[in-house]
Amino acid sequence: MRKIQFLLLATAVAMAMTAMAQQLPVYLDDNAPIEQRVEDALSRMTLDEKIAVIHAQSKFSSPGVKRLGLPDFWTDDGPHGVRPDVLWDEWEQAGQTNDSCVAFPALTCLAASWNPDLARLFGRSLGEEARYRGKDMILGPGVNINRNPLNGRNFEYMGEDPLLAARMVVPYVQGLQSTGTAACVKHFCLNNDEEYRHQVNVIVSDRALREIYLPAFEAAVKEGHTWGIMGSYNLYKDQYCCQNQYTLGQILKGDWQYDGVVVSDWGGAHDTEMAVKNGLDMEFGSWTDGLAWGASNAYDAYYMAQPYKQLIQEGKLSTRELDDKVRRVLRLFFRTTMSNNRARGFLCSEAHYDAALEIAQQGIVLLQNKRSILPIDVDKARRVLVVGENAIKMMTVGGGSSSLKVQHEILPLDGIKARLAGTGIQVDYARGYVGDTTGEYNGVVAKQSLVDNRPAASLIAEAVDKARGADYVIIFGGLNKSDYQDAEGHDRRHMGMPYGQDELVEALARVNKNVVFVNISGDAVAMPWRDKVAAILQGWFVGSEAGKAFASILLGDANPSGKLPFTWPVSLDDLGAHALGTYPGTWRDGHKIIDEEYKEGIYVGYRWTDKQGKRPMFAFGHGLSYTTFKLTNLRIDKQQVAPDGSITATVTVKNTGNRAGAEVVQLYVSDLSGNVDMPVKELRGFSKVTLQPGQSQDVTITIGPRAFQYWDEQQSRWTTSHGKRTLLVGTASDNLPLKASFTVL
Ligand code: BGC
């Protein structure tokens, strides 16, 4: 009897629940199609609620609709780790104890791995950290093209090549969004220097825009299906890019049919009507006209807040644009805060540290290795001298919005000491130079004292003294995250190394032939002493696991496999932007706007050095290994390919050395058709393969049909260039021994 009563009760409860479920408004029904949910929610919102969701309510959040159960929306930087929380309306630290994160390597390092699987892992891991921290959107990744090595923010981007950046950004976005955290791909577009980022008006050919500066954004939209795009500060065609009819209206939302939100860069909106009409969807960080800088809680005065509402009420603007924006914001909510499908959050998990370490190991580039001096021979070495401030300096604090508050950051010297403990090898240290001893950003303080008041001469003398008789001298130098180096807001003033490091290196190279220079930077620096040192590693900014990663590469526990994602010039004049005197541009309008004309057009990076017949210091795609690889037997599946078809190249790669290692097979194409002005060659595909000693593997790369096209300025569309091609395959842009020919019909 009891059993029957229980069953009856259970049935009644189930029926009641079904009835309740049936009464659920569509927008709350997780099983309903997203567009139906959007329309339903939109129909329930008041004008005030609609205006509210399209602009910020605090430094990093915008409101939801509490009445309807739609939560507030939280964004955060981006792109190397989840930025620590600041106060509601100030940049100062909120003082949380649960916002110490894992710092993943900078995006230049990720790009240098040439490994899209690692980009996915990066995105996924970062997304899990964001989930723990309650962040719904990460402000990144950045894919502005490295056109000018002086750009203070190149370290946050993915190099100079549109294809490499495109292939890396897609899995990053997918990995991140698989956790239910939106990506916000930035800075759209043409934000290629920092110094005058609020004033620069870029003048660029349509062809260069489409072929060089936009493909990574296009791939992020069309293949990565990013839910967010951030407009940039600069202008294009005399319109700010956060309210730009051409880039947002015509290209992004028109040509590419983007259905996500356009978020302003912080303070990137300038005018209500332009922002409303030209495609901005969410406004953040403004300090609108009429308000003093820093006026507190000025959010209602934002261009897309009360001023917008007023224009609607006065009948000067219709609600058509508003509804479109709100639809996009609602879509974002249903993809993130209102989705039941979100990943769980983990902060500082072992897996995240492992991911950070692997990305670092695969991204660090062995630029030079004379006499195979590296890896360090543990059987022979007795004493290793480590020199330089960058061996003991935290690099995760500083540099602007990507600055982090880490749970830990293993410093290079500590990593090397830990790795060599118990081997009998003595590790010595000399400071060598003093650079930036501050280490503070927005209230996050690197708790280390780097102050050293000794004069430069005695620092060098001490290092030289210790270098005598050392088996290896490993200098950690280069740049850091202070202003005018690798940092937001300014560009470097020259390519030279700061703090008298050149003298230090020269002095050490005079007394020791086994000098290894580990360069910490986001971009190329001048190395006038290159031939005097034995080995050079490009060490980027590799985050929490830095010391472990460097030790593993220096000792050969990990075999370097990174490849440069940009051309490393000998001097600035080796690149078009500087050779043609285009940077920083020409002031006009009483010093309000600076026009920067990208006169080199599509000839950015290796496209420029190829055209000029210049040999850079290190070529795009260059990177050595501790083993050797041989590429043979290039074959293609067809000699003639239809314009809308594709062609597959296969090459056999063999590890001919005695260590396991990874090689990046790079495929470039030369267009010999003579139809239009074409670069000598362009990267069209690549694939990274890991091989044991003696192991061979066939690597297959398929390209087309975009690889056969150029942007036709007359017709304003991608057009096939019919005719002959040479396909070039090898392991760097200056090492492409294998060739095959084909024709595009
Ligand atoms: C930067 C963005 C960043 C934003 C929020 C801006 O100054 O340009 O990249 O996401 O601030 O911190």
Side-chain angles (χ1 to χ4, degrees):
M1 189 60 188
R2 279 199 144 179
K3 209 170 175 184
I4 292 172
Q5 271 175 352
F6 175 75
L7 277 175
L8 284 174
L9 186 69
T11 315
V13 170
M15 280 171 64
M17 280 174 65
T18 317
M20 269 166 62
Q22 279 164 357
Q23 282 160 19
L24 261 190
V26 177
Y27 80 94
L28 286 177
D29 180 358
D30 211 46
N31 296 316
I34 237 180
E35 294 308 313
Q36 278 180 29
R37 302 181 76 186
V38 166
E39 291 309 318
D40 184 43
L42 182 73
S43 70
R44 296 166 190 269
M45 288 169 71
T46 64
L47 178 62
D48 282 330
E49 286 165 344
K50 289 179 182 178
I51 292 283
V53 298
I54 62 164
H55 67 270
Q57 61 172 0
S58 76
K59 286 281 180 239
F60 284 99
S61 75
S62 55
V65 189
K66 295 181 181 69
R67 183 179 65 84
L68 297 177
L70 305 177
D72 290 352
F73 189 80
W74 283 86
T75 73
D76 206 6
D77 288 293
H80 308 140
V82 188
R83 180 176 177 159
D85 286 342
V86 295
L87 294 171
W88 186 263
D89 190 41
E90 284 152 62
W91 291 108
E92 281 316 300
Q93 291 302 297
Q96 313 276 31
T97 54
N98 66 348
D99 58 354
S100 296
C101 65
V102 174
F104 297 91
L107 292 193
T108 22
C109 176
L110 174 66
S113 77
W114 292 57
N115 187 340
D117 293 339
L118 286 187
R120 188 177 304 279
L121 178 67
F122 192 131
R124 170 93 201 170
S125 309
L126 180 61
E128 286 173 356
E129 299 245 329
R131 289 293 300 116
Y132 176 88
R133 294 272 312 282
K135 307 302 178 193
D136 307 309
M137 170 181 272
I138 286 291
L139 305 172
V143 287
N144 292 102
I145 290 294
N146 178 336
R147 161 181 189 260
N148 163 19
L150 300 185
N151 178 8
R153 261 185 123 171
N154 278 341
F155 75 98
E156 283 189 62
Y157 302 142
M158 298 198 192
E160 76 183 25
D161 186 80
L163 179 96
L164 177 63
R167 298 290 42 97
M168 299 301 284
V169 71
V170 169
Y172 181 116
V173 167
Q174 291 170 338
L176 178 61
Q177 294 190 164
S178 71
T179 65
T181 309
C184 189
V185 181
K186 65 192 188 185
H187 307 89
F188 189 71
C189 54
L190 297 167
N191 184 185
N192 306 103
D193 18 81
E194 280 294 289
E195 194 61 50
Y196 303 114
R197 61 180 176 166
H198 296 281
Q199 292 98 359
V200 68
N201 175 52
V202 173
I203 301 168
V204 63
S205 70
D206 284 357
R207 187 167 171 209
L209 178 71
R210 297 287 187 149
E211 291 186 20
I212 304 291
Y213 296 100
L214 294 187
F217 289 105
E218 186 178 0
V221 169
K222 290 185 178 168
E223 296 174 55
H225 301 291
T226 183
W227 299 332
I229 290 270
M230 183 188 288
S232 56
Y233 284 134
N234 53 285
L235 302 92
Y236 167 63
K237 291 195 194 263
D238 284 350
Q239 290 184 359
Y240 288 103
C241 287
C242 288
Q243 42 186 56
N244 192 297
Q245 165 55 22
Y246 309 96
T247 56
L248 302 179
Q250 209 166 302
I251 297 177
L252 180 65
K253 293 184 172 176
D255 295 358
W256 300 348
Q257 293 289 296
Y258 175 61
D259 72 356
V261 291
V262 173
V263 172
S264 71
D265 198 345
W266 267 227
H270 294 264
D271 177 276
T272 301
E273 222 172 307
M274 299 265 292
V276 165
K277 288 191 171 157
N278 292 346
L280 184 65
D281 300 310
M282 296 179 94
E283 181 187 1
F284 283 88
S286 300
W287 48 93
T288 49
D289 287 354
L291 290 168
W293 160 276
S296 56
N297 285 303
Y299 304 102
D300 283 347
Y302 273 27
Y303 296 102
M304 297 218 303
Q306 287 308 314
Y308 185 12
K309 184 178 163 191
Q310 202 175 326
L311 288 176
I312 290 176
Q313 284 172 332
E314 288 167 0
K316 293 189 177 136
L317 284 174
S318 79
T319 51
R320 193 173 54 87
E321 292 97 350
L322 179 62
D323 283 348
D324 176 64
K325 293 176 202 312
V326 176
R327 279 193 182 93
R328 290 169 186 272
V329 173
L330 288 169
R331 212 171 277 138
L332 181 68
F333 289 174
F334 292 122
R335 287 166 166 166
T336 57
T337 52
M338 293 297 289
S339 161
N340 285 341
N341 243 342
R342 305 180 90 185
R344 286 188 203 291
F346 299 97
L347 191 68
C348 299
S349 80
E350 295 83 349
H352 297 171
Y353 282 114
D354 290 349
L357 178 62
E358 194 179 350
I359 295 160
Q361 287 169 331
Q362 287 206 29
I364 291 170
V365 185
L366 180 60
L367 293 173
Q368 171 172 305
N369 195 17
K370 288 189 200 161
R371 297 176 275 115
S372 295
I373 177 104
L374 289 176
I376 291 172
D377 187 339
V378 253
D379 296 328
K380 293 208 183 115
R382 288 283 146 263
R383 189 163 70 86
V384 169
L385 173 67
V386 176
V387 183
E389 183 170 286
N390 284 352
I392 57 166
K393 183 171 171 61
M394 281 184 78
M395 288 294 177
T396 52
V397 179
S401 53
S402 64
S403 183
L404 297 171
K405 175 173 143 194
V406 287
Q407 186 198 38
H408 76 240
E409 175 176 347
I410 304 174
L411 300 171
L413 179 61
D414 294 339
I416 292 170
K417 278 186 179 161
R419 172 59 180 81
L420 291 180
T423 60
I425 300 175
Q426 186 194 333
V427 181
D428 234 349
Y429 175 72
R431 178 69 174 264
Y433 69 91
V434 175
D436 168 34
T437 57
T438 53
E440 193 269 340
Y441 186 81
N442 269 174
V444 175
V445 184
K447 292 198 182 64
Q448 44 173 190
S449 172
L450 293 178
V451 176
D452 189 328
N453 293 321
R454 286 176 290 169
S458 53
L459 292 168
I460 294 182
E462 180 200 38
V464 166
D465 214 37
K466 290 186 175 175
R468 288 200 177 91
D471 297 292
Y472 295 87
V473 176
I474 304 170
I475 310 171
F476 282 84
L479 308 178
N480 56 40
K481 297 280 189 68
S482 46
D483 283 354
Y484 299 100
Q485 297 200 33
D486 280 315
E488 188 176 333
H490 295 289
D491 293 336
R492 279 189 289 158
R493 292 173 168 137
H494 51 76
M495 248 185 89
M497 289 223 192
Y499 318 129
Q501 291 178 73
D502 290 340
E503 290 81 61
L504 171 70
V505 179
E506 300 263 3
L508 291 170
R510 276 198 290 275
V511 298
N512 194 307
K513 63 181 184 7
N514 292 345
V515 171
V516 176
F517 191 86
V518 185
N519 184 57
I520 306 298
S521 75
D523 211 317
V525 288
M527 292 181 173
W529 35 258
R530 174 199 166 174
D531 292 332
K532 298 180 187 160
V533 300
I536 303 174
L537 275 176
Q538 176 54 22
W540 313 115
F541 297 99
V542 292
S544 283
E545 296 289 84
K548 220 190 247 182
F550 288 125
S552 69
I553 293 279
L554 289 165
L555 272 298
D557 308 333
N559 192 347
S561 62
K563 302 277 181 178
L564 281 180
F566 53 75
T567 303
W568 193 299
V570 178
S571 71
L572 288 175
D573 282 346
D574 289 349
L575 295 174
H578 293 275
L580 299 177
T582 68
Y583 171 81
T586 315
W587 288 104
R588 70 165 147 107
D589 290 350
H591 224 68
K592 281 203 196 101
I593 304 285
I594 183 165
D595 286 314
E596 186 174 1
E597 187 177 353
Y598 291 8
K599 289 188 186 149
E600 75 286 2
I602 57 172
Y603 293 99
V604 171
Y606 65 89
R607 290 166 170 82
W608 175 267
T609 49
D610 278 357
K611 187 177 158 82
Q612 302 297 317
K614 281 203 181 239
R615 275 182 72 83
M617 175 124 79
F618 301 110
F620 172 78
H622 167 78
L624 305 171
S625 165
Y626 296 150
T627 186
T628 47
F629 296 93
K630 196 160 172 54
L631 273 54
T632 53
N633 195 16
L634 170 65
R635 55 266 190 218
I636 48 179
D637 66 342
K638 49 181 90 74
Q639 251 76 44
Q640 298 190 325
V641 55
D644 58 351
S646 61
I647 183 163
T648 297
T650 306
V651 65
T652 308
V653 188
K654 182 170 186 188
N655 180 344
T656 48
N658 51 18
R659 274 171 193 272
E663 183 53 288
V664 179
V665 178
Q666 302 173 32
L667 185 157
Y668 296 75
V669 173
S670 291
D671 184 329
L672 309 175
S673 65
N675 295 328
V676 272
D677 189 23
M678 279 289 182
V680 173
K681 61 176 185 288
E682 293 182 276
L683 182 74
R684 294 304 193 186
F686 62 90
S687 178
K688 191 167 192 171
V689 57
T690 302
L691 297 171
Q692 297 305 313
Q695 191 190 353
S696 291
Q697 196 174 304
D698 281 351
V699 169
T700 292
I701 299 172
T702 299
I703 62 166
R706 179 62 76 81
F708 313 140
Q709 300 169 341
Y710 65 95
W711 182 262
D712 184 331
E713 296 192 332
Q714 262 69 51
Q715 303 191 52
S716 243
R717 64 177 172 88
W718 291 100
T719 301
T720 302
S721 158
H722 306 277
K724 288 213 172 329
R725 303 285 199 280
T726 306
L727 197 138
L728 305 147
V729 176
T731 57
S733 68
D734 63 347
N735 178 24
L736 300 166
L738 303 180
K739 293 185 176 51
S741 300
F742 67 97
T743 302
V744 179
L745 295 173

